[in-house]
Amino acid sequence: MNIIIFGPPGAGKGTQSNFLKEDLKMTQISTGDLLRNELKKESELSKQIRNIIESGKLVSDKIIYDLIEDKISNKNIENMMIFDGFPRNIEQAKNLEIMLKKHNQHLSKVLNLKVDYSVLIKRISGRVSCPVCKNTFNEYFDPPPQKCRENKLIKRSDDNEGTVKKRLEIYDKETLPLLEYYKNQNKVLNIDAMKQIDEVRKEIRGVLKG
Ligand code: AP5
């Protein structure tokens, strides 16, 4: 089974992908994480993408395909992939189909995390991650344990109010239309992502078993 976890910035895509890794032994492919890994290197690519990410705009499709194809072609994770943050526009969705087909795979379902936009700014502004255990927490909703607080918790450079507004604007304009695209293919499973983190996890497990 290959699935997309879909939703606006801060909906909980990364959080729930981590549970799917644990619950169903799937592999998360997060284009956001892949890009942030590139930023740690002093590469030509990192120079190209830093300003784009920090402005909240989308990185070029070509850069994304290069990062993604490498994963899709990996036989060890065949039919066990969770796409997090990809695709983000119709062009990317069509290309995902082509790449999956090329490697004899297909997309099973799209998990649509439904949230009110009113909670997103708080979720994003409260997000922190631990450099040691690598887990993501939330100062308001899922506080880090004391042992993680002893490390210097990390905040993402695109998690400020101005950038988040832009990210939401781009999501509405370019990414949201994908939902209709996948509804027409009968692939969308709606998830109430306003519930507490563990409740959302249970709902996802339930719908995927169904
Ligand atoms: P990316 O990293 O993909 O960011 P995003 O899509 O904006 O999503 P987030 O990571 O902000 O949110 P999330 O839904 O994963 O929420 P999380 O689980 O962390 O992309 C970053 C940038 O990279 C883009 O802006 C773009 O520039 C570029 N990019 C990436 N992919 C691209 C592509 N395909 N094409 C072009 N450009 C691309 O949760 C958020 C917080 O809320 C956490 O603190 C968490 O603890 C908390 N939380 C989660 N669930 C709940 C809950 N149910 N209740 C309360 N709190 C919760």
Side-chain angles (χ1 to χ4, degrees):
M1 173 169 68
N2 293 314
I3 62 176
I4 292 172
I5 191 150
F6 188 87
K13 302 182 295 295
T15 304
Q16 296 302 329
S17 296
N18 269 322
F19 294 139
L20 282 167
K21 289 198 287 193
E22 245 176 84
D23 295 344
L24 299 178
K25 308 285 168 258
M26 296 182 81
T27 299
Q28 175 194 22
I29 299 175
S30 156
T31 41
D33 286 348
L34 292 171
L35 290 166
R36 280 183 289 278
N37 282 342
E38 278 304 321
L39 291 184
K40 289 180 198 152
K41 306 174 193 164
E42 280 308 314
S43 62
E44 203 38 56
L45 181 56
S46 76
K47 281 186 213 150
Q48 283 178 46
I49 60 180
R50 186 176 302 279
N51 289 341
I52 305 176
I53 293 177
E54 288 180 1
S55 70
K57 295 183 190 151
L58 294 186
V59 169
S60 83
D61 291 348
K62 163 84 176 71
I63 290 175
I64 298 294
Y65 301 152
D66 288 346
L67 293 171
I68 282 275
E69 172 119 44
D70 186 48
K71 304 284 171 195
I72 295 181
S73 60
N74 181 349
K75 288 270 170 216
N76 295 326
I77 57 170
E78 197 174 85
N79 289 316
M80 295 191 297
M81 294 181 279
I82 314 157
F83 295 102
D84 164 6
F86 175 82
R88 256 175 151 97
N89 56 37
I90 299 281
E91 204 45 49
Q92 290 188 6
K94 290 186 174 158
N95 218 279
L96 173 63
E97 276 159 39
I98 294 169
M99 286 190 273
L100 286 172
K101 204 168 171 192
K102 182 173 160 195
H103 297 284
N104 294 317
Q105 300 184 64
H106 74 281
L107 179 69
S108 309
K109 289 290 172 198
V110 177
L111 293 177
N112 175 32
L113 301 188
K114 293 182 78 172
V115 275
D116 296 345
Y117 280 24
S118 59
V119 301
L120 296 179
I121 300 276
K122 202 164 176 186
R123 283 195 188 178
I124 290 174
S125 61
R127 172 167 47 198
V128 285
S129 62
C130 170
V132 178
C133 73
K134 309 284 181 208
N135 287 327
T136 297
F137 301 97
N138 194 287
E139 294 287 9
Y140 307 108
F141 305 113
D142 179 23
Q146 190 50 38
K147 68 174 185 334
C148 293
R149 286 198 182 278
E150 283 157 17
N151 308 311
K152 195 171 164 14
L153 296 169
I154 301 170
K155 275 188 97 59
R156 275 170 46 177
S157 60
D158 59 343
D159 277 355
N160 58 73
E161 207 171 321
T163 309
V164 173
K165 275 193 184 149
K166 187 72 195 170
R167 283 160 62 194
L168 283 169
E169 220 178 279
I170 303 246
Y171 173 80
D172 281 342
K173 193 165 151 233
E174 302 201 30
T175 310
L176 197 54
L178 273 178
L179 208 51
E180 214 41 48
Y181 178 81
Y182 287 122
K183 274 185 188 159
N184 290 335
Q185 298 181 15
N186 221 2
K187 289 199 193 302
V188 177
L189 296 170
N190 287 317
I191 304 292
D192 178 2
M194 289 298 283
K195 292 192 222 160
Q196 290 192 353
I197 293 177
D198 263 355
E199 294 298 308
V200 179
R201 177 184 191 170
K202 278 188 210 143
E203 187 175 333
I204 290 180
R205 246 187 327 207
V207 298
L208 286 180
K209 273 188 192 153

